Amino acid sequence: MLIQTVATQPFADQKPGTSGLRKKVRVFQQAHYLHNFVQSIFDTLQIPADAILTVGGDGRFYNKEAIQVIIKMAAANGFAKVLVGQNGILSTPAASNIIRKYTTFGGIILSASHNPGGPDDDFGIKYNTSNGGPAPEKITDAIFANSKQISHYKIAPELPEVDLSAVGITTLDGFEVEVIDSVSDYADLMQSMFDFAAIKRWLAAGHSLKFDAMHAVTGPYAQEIFVNRLGAPPDSLMNCVVSENFGGGHPDPNLTYAEDLVKVAYGPQAPDFSAASDGDGDRNMILGSHFFVTPSDSLALIAANARLIPAYASGLSGVARSMPTSGAVDRVAAKLGIDCYETPTGWKFFGNLMDAGKVTLCGEESFGTGSDHVREKDGLWAVLCWLNLLAATGESVESLVRKHWQQYGRNVYSRHDYETVPTAPAQAVMQHIKQQFASLPGQVFGSYTVNTVDDFSYTDPIDASVSNGQGLRILFVCGSRVVIRLSGTGTEGATIRVYLEAYTEDPAQQQLDAQDALAELITVSHQISQLPQLTGRLQPTVIT
Ligand code: G16
């Protein structure tokens, strides 16, 4: 096989963010841009002679072109084989499963997750290691270092384009590309974990389900699992045909962007259970009839009731949450007598804990929930957890959550996002808070007294690696808190995230809408951060 070495120049902006490199499609379309990053990944790896690479993406614009390039570069860089999802499709959790099930060397996932797709929108690429999880920081730092000094990349230019539409094997000079069914391995895994018979009975008894794939990758997975295997009526699915630009929408399952589903869930014919997933299928939103479940509560509730799910019938080894996620799951862990870990934002921080057997369930406020069945968060898994719990208890979504609050108290929670803020004022907000680190403790703002302020730092309990600068925390004497950090997944300007949390055992307070219950804390967060004054933004873009 002819292997060409192509001279190239470094790009300065290939630093992976919270979850891989995410940029506008047009940035990736620049000559050599994608090639440089892929070579920078391969240069960090010691690739053995029999190494297999898993490749797949969320079906967004530029997915198929990028896959052809990656196949040619994998061949030139010494991989023996590439496993690729049919039509280039693998949801992120399905890719993680393929890496683990077929013990491949690692995988490349093409996705910008919940960000919009299309020629003027976003694309992304990330590397997952052989445990199926996103590469840890030491690898992403090495990839970035390589990208800054790259001088050439290797490619097999004569390898023919692979027909991604047909399942099968193509061989060339000993190098193999296998196009695999994107759905069946994942659907089998789900069927092995949950009580499908009970969920089937629950559906057959007349309970209703609505799932919104937001025109993104979970469409074919939902068809197979909910309709083909669980017997849900076909109209239980909406927006389930994968489109390269996600129907022109923003495939982010929250109350703002999943508005088609929210209208149904809060409408006159509201189903018993509604859910949505994002661009690459790792996020989830859970709704009951006229009722929204925060991701933090969802994690706590799944943990509290996990024994009702066959895969977790023997209990949990421990749980973990990202720092900005509410402390609801901590209370469940305390009651169960298991450990609860607090990590920085980013699923990659859960990998070591899961590999070491220290945690079974993990979750993040950013609509991510998952377990050690793969090493990514998993949208459809979370949906199946809820369906299994509804079937096993006979309760409604709302009654399950309200009973949980009665038992554990409620961590009233909300996140306010200020999207596409110019970088300078966003940095100014962070600086303004940091400048007050010494003076804030003890200060009184209305009914809130500041206890401590810090910039969250994490030492991994398994490999002792340290991650600094993971978010500013303002902790109040009463146990409430405000966390402010800049998103690491946006592609335009900065997104400021403000996380607000207050704990209450008062049944009357528990009934309040979160925005009402948190109103004073929101005002206090503005006073301390000066966010409205420094950014000119008076309202968040998205409230969840
Ligand atoms: C990624 C990460 C998550 C993280 C989320 C939000 O999710 O995998 O762990 O919580 O980004 O990060 P940020 O607040 O920095 O935008 P996804 O679904 O975008 O891959």
Side-chain angles (χ1 to χ4, degrees):
M1 185 190 305
L2 174 72
I3 295 175
Q4 201 177 0
T5 301
V6 181
T8 188
Q9 302 278 328
F11 292 88
D13 64 345
Q14 297 197 323
K15 184 173 172 52
T18 308
S19 187
L21 183 69
R22 293 185 185 165
K23 300 281 175 196
K24 294 285 171 206
V25 166
R26 295 201 193 288
V27 173
F28 272 102
Q29 285 173 325
Q30 296 172 86
H32 307 311
Y33 193 90
L34 172 70
H35 302 72
N36 274 20
F37 192 71
V38 173
Q39 189 65 51
S40 300
I41 294 173
F42 291 159
D43 286 345
T44 63
L45 311 174
Q46 309 275 320
I47 302 168
D50 59 350
I52 303 173
L53 183 71
T54 300
V55 180
D58 61 12
R60 69 180 57 227
F61 184 83
Y62 200 54
N63 202 26
K64 288 181 180 159
E65 292 86 337
I67 287 177
Q68 299 292 351
V69 168
I70 292 164
I71 290 172
K72 290 185 170 72
M73 290 186 67
N77 278 274
F79 280 94
K81 176 172 177 172
V82 168
L83 272 183
V84 56
Q86 191 174 13
N87 295 313
I89 297 283
L90 282 177
S91 77
T92 292
S96 184
N97 179 45
I98 295 291
I99 294 170
R100 295 169 66 78
K101 182 169 179 179
Y102 298 106
T103 51
T104 73
F105 182 75
I108 289 183
I109 300 178
L110 303 165
S111 171
S113 187
H114 53 289
N115 294 319
D120 297 320
D121 282 306
D122 299 346
F123 191 72
I125 173 169
K126 72 170 177 171
Y127 181 70
N128 281 31
T129 53
S130 59
N131 73 347
E137 274 190 337
K138 62 175 186 294
I139 295 184
T140 54
D141 288 349
I143 294 170
F144 180 46
N146 287 341
S147 77
K148 288 190 288 190
Q149 55 191 32
I150 189 168
S151 60
H152 65 273
Y153 60 81
K154 286 194 268 181
I155 191 159
E158 291 175 352
L159 201 69
E161 300 276 291
V162 175
D163 178 4
L164 296 174
S165 69
V167 169
I169 298 180
T170 311
T171 311
L172 189 93
D173 291 346
F175 175 73
E176 220 176 70
V177 181
E178 182 173 358
V179 177
I180 56 171
D181 184 289
S182 312
V183 173
S184 55
D185 289 297
Y186 177 82
D188 291 349
L189 176 65
M190 293 299 110
Q191 192 156 2
S192 74
M193 298 178 69
F194 295 98
D195 189 347
F196 271 34
I199 300 173
K200 261 181 147 164
R201 283 196 299 275
W202 183 83
L203 285 165
H207 292 105
S208 50
L209 147 77
K210 195 71 146 184
F211 177 77
D212 184 353
M214 303 191 81
H215 307 276
V217 77
T218 51
Y221 296 86
Q223 171 70 35
E224 175 63 17
I225 293 170
F226 299 132
V227 178
N228 301 357
R229 299 199 187 193
L230 288 170
D235 68 359
S236 305
L237 307 184
M238 62 197 286
N239 304 322
C240 274
V241 175
V242 185
S243 107
E244 285 199 328
N245 70 348
F246 308 122
H250 196 134
D252 195 354
N254 59 40
L255 293 172
T256 301
Y257 293 124
E259 59 176 344
D260 291 355
L261 182 73
V262 171
K263 273 189 203 136
V264 174
Y266 284 83
Q269 308 286 323
D272 296 301
F273 177 79
S274 303
S277 190
D278 70 329
D280 62 331
D282 57 3
R283 297 185 177 206
N284 73 90
M285 177 170 71
I286 303 295
L287 296 160
S289 169
H290 300 252
F291 192 81
F292 166 67
V293 186
T294 70
S296 297
D297 280 343
S298 175
L299 171 66
L301 201 130
I302 293 170
N305 297 286
R307 280 181 183 271
L308 298 174
I309 298 170
Y312 310 107
S314 58
L316 307 174
S317 60
V319 292
R321 63 166 172 84
S322 66
M323 178 274 284
T325 303
S326 96
V329 74
D330 303 37
R331 296 172 194 284
V332 174
K335 174 126 194 294
L336 294 175
I338 56 175
D339 287 334
C340 178
Y341 295 84
E342 183 179 42
T343 63
T345 294
W347 205 261
K348 59 192 171 198
F349 292 103
F350 295 137
N352 276 349
L353 294 168
M354 288 192 271
D355 286 350
K358 295 203 173 293
V359 303
T360 311
L361 295 186
C362 311
E364 296 187 285
E365 49 63 41
S366 56
F367 295 82
T369 333
S371 87
D372 59 0
H373 64 289
V374 288
R375 291 293 182 275
E376 290 278 3
K377 55 190 188 270
D378 190 342
L380 289 172
W381 169 90
V383 173
L384 286 164
C385 281
W386 273 88
L387 286 172
N388 202 145
L389 295 184
L390 295 177
T393 61
E395 301 272 353
S396 71
V397 172
E398 179 168 352
S399 68
L400 275 179
V401 175
R402 291 202 185 279
K403 283 183 180 170
H404 186 90
W405 291 342
Q406 272 167 21
Q407 190 178 353
Y408 293 92
R410 178 180 177 194
N411 289 68
V412 185
Y413 190 83
S414 184
R415 185 177 100 184
H416 289 192
D417 291 338
Y418 299 79
E419 295 179 330
T420 57
V421 175
T423 309
Q427 294 289 0
V429 171
M430 303 302 278
Q431 274 314 320
H432 182 71
I433 300 169
K434 282 188 190 169
Q435 280 159 9
Q436 303 169 79
F437 267 18
S439 60
L440 274 174
Q443 277 193 48
V444 178
F445 298 86
S447 51
Y448 291 91
T449 304
V450 178
N451 187 16
T452 58
V453 197
D454 67 8
D455 194 348
F456 182 64
S457 170
Y458 177 68
T459 303
D460 186 295
I462 310 301
D463 66 13
S465 58
V466 177
S467 303
N468 293 316
Q470 298 293 329
L472 307 182
R473 300 194 295 183
I474 305 162
L475 308 174
F476 297 94
V477 170
C478 59
S480 298
R481 65 175 189 161
V482 173
V483 173
I484 303 189
R485 61 179 281 279
L486 299 182
S487 158
T489 57
T491 56
E492 212 176 338
T495 293
I496 306 174
R497 303 206 194 282
V498 182
Y499 311 82
L500 304 133
E501 179 178 357
Y503 177 70
T504 177
E505 288 177 352
D506 175 355
Q509 286 284 324
Q510 289 178 7
Q511 304 310 313
L512 289 179
D513 177 82
Q515 302 312 311
D516 296 332
L518 295 168
E520 189 189 353
L521 195 59
I522 293 167
T523 307
V524 170
S525 75
H526 288 171
Q527 282 172 332
I528 294 176
S529 67
Q530 294 287 297
L531 188 151
Q533 293 83 346
L534 290 168
T535 64
R537 297 289 185 88
L538 303 181
Q539 294 295 330
T541 329
V542 177
I543 294 180
T544 48

